[in-house]
Amino acid sequence: MNRIELNKIDSKAPKDADKEALKKELFSLHKKMFSLQHLFYANASKSMLIIFQGMDTSGKDGTIRHVFSCVNPLGVHASAFSEPCDKERVHDFLWRIYQQLPEKGMIRIFNRSHYEDILVPTVHRMLDDKLIERRYDYINSFEQQLEDSGTIILKFYLLISRDEQKKRLEKRLKDPLKKWKYKASDKTESKKWNDYIRTYENIISRCSPAIPWQVIPADDKWYRNYLVAKTIVGKLESLKMKYPGDEK
Amino acid sequence: MNRIELNKIDSKAPKDADKEALKKELFSLHKKMFSLQHLFYANASKSMLIIFQGMDTSGKDGTIRHVFSCVNPLGVHASAFSEPCDKERVHDFLWRIYQQLPEKGMIRIFNRSHYEDILVPTVHRMLDDKLIERRYDYINSFEQQLEDSGTIILKFYLLISRDEQKKRLEKRLKDPLKKWKYKASDKTESKKWNDYIRTYENIISRCSPAIPWQVIPADDKWYRNYLVAKTIVGKLESLKMKYPGDEK
C-alpha cells in the first residue's frame, strides 16, 4: 500500500493555471453536465454516488453549490451527514447511509459520509482501535458491493492548507454572509488538525485504489470547482450513453 | 366560490410578450434565485413546498429542469409521485407525502402530488364520490396546517391546449431525445382529456384562494419557465431575508 502524504501535495492551483480560462471552461462544463445528467436520468441503468470529505471550511458546501448549479433537482439529490441523531445511533453506522443511496438514473451527493464514522471516533478516541480497524474493511466491502450493483462512486478529498483554514475561520467570524456557518466547535476541532490529517491519510491510502479517492487542491475555489466538475463530466462522458431507443 | 374555466384561459404566451427579452430575464432570475435560495437555507426559519400539476406532456419535468437549474442540491430537493406502490397503498394517501415534506431552510419540489389522489380516482371512478369529496377537505386542512407551521406553499398548474398535447405526444414517439418518456398509457389517458380538465377545475376552484393555485400558460416553454421563475423569485424576495447575525 502506498501511503499518501497530504502535506506533500500542493493545496493551491498550479502556477501556470489560467484563472479566467478555467472559469470559462467551468461554464462550458456546466452545460455538458446539464445534458449528461439528463441522459443519465433517461437511461436509468446506473446510479452515481459522489462523496465530498475535507477539513472544516475546506469548501464542501461551496463546491456542491457551484459545481452542481446546473442540474435537474429531480435527478440529483444531496445529503449532508452531521453528527448522528439518537435514532441513527442505535443502528450500525451504515444504516443511515443506506437510506440515502441513489436509485438507478439518480446522482446522489454526500456532504460528509460514512467516512466520518472512522474520522471522528479515531480523532476523539471514542472507539476501540480494533473496531475502527474493522470499519475500514466494512467500508471497502460496502463500496465494492455498490459498484458491483451498478453504482458509480466518485470520492473527493478537498485539500486546504492550515493557513487557509485559519483565514476562512476568521472570515466566518467577521463576514455577515459567512457568520451563520460558524460553530463554537470549529476552533477546538481546528486544534486537532494533525490528528485529522493523519486519519485522512489512512483513509485515502486504505480506501483506494479500487474505488479511488481524488485529492483536490482546494485553497483556490475557482480551481477546485473546475477540477471537480471536470472529473465528473469526464466520468459521465466515459459511459458513452445514448437515449433509450436511440442505441445504434 | 368562483369556478375557474380552464378552456377560457389562453395557454399561449401573450402576443406582446418579447421572447428574447424574457429569455434574458430568465437568466437574471436564475442568478437571483441562486442567491435567494442560499439565504433561505442560511436562515432555516421557513420551508417552501412547490407543487407542479398538469396534464401529461404539460412540461412538469421540463419546468423543474429549466427553472431550478441554478440552485444548490443541498437546499433544494425534488420528489416525483407516480402511481402509489404496494407499501404506499396500505397507508392513507397523505402518508407518502408527509415523508417528503421540506425541513426548515429547504425547498422541496413536487412533480405531481397529493392532488393525484383526487384526480385519478375521480377520472377512473375508483372511489366513492363521498370519499373523494372528503379528500378536498383533508387537503385544504393539510395545506393550512403546513402553512401555519412555517411552510410556504406555491402551487402551479401548467396549462396546455389539447392540440399542443397531441403535438408533444407525437414528438415523444419520433424524437430520439423524447422517446424514453413515452408510455402506452399516454394515449388512453389523453382520451379522458375532458374528465381531467373538469376535475382540475374543481381542484383549482376549491383548493384556492387561501393557498392559491397559479395557472401558467404552458404551450410556450420560454414563457412558462419565465413565469414560474418570476413567481418563485417574487415570493422569496417578499420574505425580506437577511443572513443570520446580519439583521439590522
Side-chain angles (χ1 to χ4, degrees):
Chain A
M1 183 181 79
N2 280 327
R3 196 181 154 83
I4 195 164
E5 288 179 79
L6 289 173
N7 61 12
K8 291 200 175 157
I9 302 176
D10 196 351
S11 58
K12 292 200 170 15
K15 288 234 166 59
D16 57 349
D18 178 342
K19 184 170 173 179
E20 288 317 309
L22 292 189
K23 276 186 156 181
K24 267 189 203 154
E25 179 63 18
L26 178 62
F27 187 73
S28 107
L29 286 167
H30 274 164
K31 283 190 179 174
K32 283 186 191 165
M33 206 189 286
F34 186 69
S35 309
L36 286 163
Q37 181 261 316
H38 193 240
L39 200 46
F40 192 78
Y41 182 72
N43 268 280
S45 65
K46 287 195 168 269
S47 43
M48 184 175 267
L49 178 62
I50 303 175
I51 296 173
F52 290 97
Q53 289 280 165
M55 306 293 268
D56 283 342
T57 77
S58 62
K60 300 180 286 296
D61 289 274
T63 307
I64 295 171
R65 187 163 176 245
H66 288 278
V67 169
F68 298 96
S69 66
C70 55
V71 289
N72 181 352
L74 268 174
V76 181
H77 292 171
S79 311
F81 294 95
S82 52
E83 230 180 296
C85 70
D86 287 350
K87 198 182 168 181
E88 291 166 347
R89 225 183 287 273
V90 293
H91 286 280
D92 96 277
F93 75 99
L94 289 175
W95 181 80
R96 63 175 185 162
I97 304 295
Y98 259 97
Q99 296 177 50
Q100 308 288 332
L101 293 175
E103 300 104 292
K104 303 240 186 266
M106 303 292 288
I107 297 175
R108 175 71 67 147
I109 303 157
F110 278 4
N111 182 352
R112 306 182 188 270
S113 66
H114 39 286
Y115 286 101
E116 292 292 312
D117 297 292
I118 288 181
L119 270 172
V120 180
T122 305
V123 171
H124 291 276
R125 303 177 194 281
M126 293 155 64
L127 270 184
D128 190 273
D129 283 356
K130 271 190 198 152
L131 285 176
I132 295 178
E133 272 306 295
R134 281 158 75 172
R135 288 196 172 180
Y136 283 93
D137 298 332
Y138 292 145
I139 284 179
N140 279 336
S141 148
F142 165 64
E143 290 184 356
Q144 192 58 57
Q145 177 206 338
L146 292 185
E147 284 254 343
D148 288 348
S149 64
T151 302
I152 297 158
I153 303 176
L154 293 173
K155 303 188 287 197
F156 294 102
Y157 177 76
L158 305 182
L159 177 74
I160 52 165
S161 65
R162 197 160 187 186
D163 280 350
E164 182 65 23
Q165 191 191 49
K166 273 184 197 150
K167 265 189 233 162
R168 293 186 184 182
L169 282 177
E170 274 162 31
K171 213 172 168 193
R172 275 198 185 171
L173 275 170
K174 287 177 198 157
D175 185 344
L177 268 70
K178 304 271 180 187
K179 227 166 168 176
W180 62 283
K181 296 192 87 178
Y182 186 80
K183 295 187 307 290
S185 62
D186 283 355
K187 270 209 168 156
T188 52
E189 287 302 291
S190 173
K191 284 184 191 150
K192 296 186 185 291
W193 178 272
N194 289 328
D195 294 342
Y196 272 110
I197 289 292
R198 210 173 312 121
T199 315
Y200 266 124
E201 287 174 345
N202 275 336
I203 285 175
I204 296 170
S205 306
R206 292 187 53 180
C207 303
S208 306
I211 297 159
W213 274 97
Q214 327 260 355
V215 177
I216 303 286
D219 277 1
D220 300 297
K221 294 173 186 177
W222 54 273
Y223 187 68
R224 168 200 81 189
N225 293 342
Y226 158 75
L227 211 57
V228 169
K230 190 169 167 263
T231 308
I232 296 168
V233 166
K235 187 73 201 180
L236 287 168
E237 279 177 338
S238 76
L239 302 177
K240 301 194 187 308
M241 298 174 284
K242 304 231 174 221
Y243 279 94
D246 191 33
E247 301 93 345
K248 274 161 221 148
Chain B
M1 184 180 81
N2 281 326
R3 195 181 154 84
I4 195 164
E5 288 180 78
L6 288 173
N7 61 11
K8 292 199 174 157
I9 302 176
D10 196 351
S11 57
K12 294 202 168 15
K15 287 235 165 60
D16 58 351
D18 179 341
K19 183 170 174 179
E20 288 316 309
L22 292 189
K23 277 187 157 180
K24 267 188 203 154
E25 179 63 18
L26 178 62
F27 187 73
S28 105
L29 286 167
H30 274 164
K31 283 190 179 175
K32 283 184 192 165
M33 204 187 286
F34 186 69
S35 310
L36 286 163
Q37 180 261 316
H38 193 241
L39 201 45
F40 193 78
Y41 182 74
N43 269 280
S45 65
K46 288 194 168 271
S47 43
M48 184 174 268
L49 178 62
I50 303 174
I51 296 173
F52 290 98
Q53 289 279 166
M55 306 293 268
D56 283 342
T57 77
S58 62
K60 299 180 287 296
D61 288 274
T63 307
I64 295 172
R65 186 164 177 245
H66 288 279
V67 169
F68 298 96
S69 65
C70 55
V71 289
N72 182 352
L74 269 174
V76 181
H77 292 170
S79 311
F81 294 95
S82 53
E83 230 181 296
C85 70
D86 286 350
K87 197 182 168 183
E88 290 165 348
R89 225 183 287 273
V90 293
H91 286 279
D92 96 277
F93 75 99
L94 289 176
W95 180 82
R96 62 175 185 161
I97 304 294
Y98 260 97
Q99 297 176 47
Q100 309 287 331
L101 292 175
E103 300 104 294
K104 303 242 185 265
M106 303 292 289
I107 296 174
R108 176 70 70 145
I109 304 156
F110 278 4
N111 182 352
R112 305 182 190 271
S113 67
H114 39 287
Y115 286 101
E116 292 293 312
D117 298 291
I118 288 181
L119 270 173
V120 181
T122 306
V123 171
H124 291 275
R125 303 177 195 282
M126 291 154 65
L127 270 185
D128 190 272
D129 281 358
K130 271 190 199 153
L131 285 174
I132 295 178
E133 272 305 296
R134 281 158 74 174
R135 289 197 172 179
Y136 284 93
D137 297 332
Y138 292 146
I139 285 179
N140 279 336
S141 149
F142 164 65
E143 291 185 356
Q144 192 57 58
Q145 177 207 336
L146 292 185
E147 284 253 341
D148 288 348
S149 62
T151 302
I152 297 158
I153 302 176
L154 294 173
K155 304 189 286 197
F156 293 102
Y157 176 76
L158 305 182
L159 177 75
I160 53 166
S161 65
R162 195 159 187 185
D163 281 350
E164 182 64 24
Q165 191 192 50
K166 272 183 198 149
K167 266 190 232 161
R168 293 187 184 181
L169 282 177
E170 274 161 32
K171 213 172 168 194
R172 276 197 185 170
L173 275 170
K174 286 177 198 155
D175 185 344
L177 269 69
K178 303 271 181 189
K179 227 168 171 174
W180 62 283
K181 295 192 89 179
Y182 186 80
K183 296 187 306 290
S185 62
D186 283 355
K187 271 210 166 154
T188 52
E189 287 302 292
S190 175
K191 284 184 191 149
K192 298 187 184 289
W193 177 273
N194 289 328
D195 293 343
Y196 273 109
I197 290 293
R198 211 173 312 120
T199 314
Y200 266 123
E201 288 174 344
N202 276 335
I203 285 174
I204 296 171
S205 307
R206 293 187 54 181
C207 303
S208 304
I211 296 160
W213 273 97
Q214 327 261 355
V215 178
I216 304 287
D219 278 2
D220 300 297
K221 295 173 186 177
W222 54 272
Y223 187 68
R224 168 200 81 189
N225 294 342
Y226 158 75
L227 213 57
V228 170
K230 189 169 167 266
T231 309
I232 295 169
V233 167
K235 188 72 201 179
L236 286 168
E237 279 177 338
S238 76
L239 302 177
K240 302 194 187 308
M241 298 174 284
K242 303 233 175 218
Y243 279 94
D246 190 35
E247 300 92 344
K248 277 161 219 147

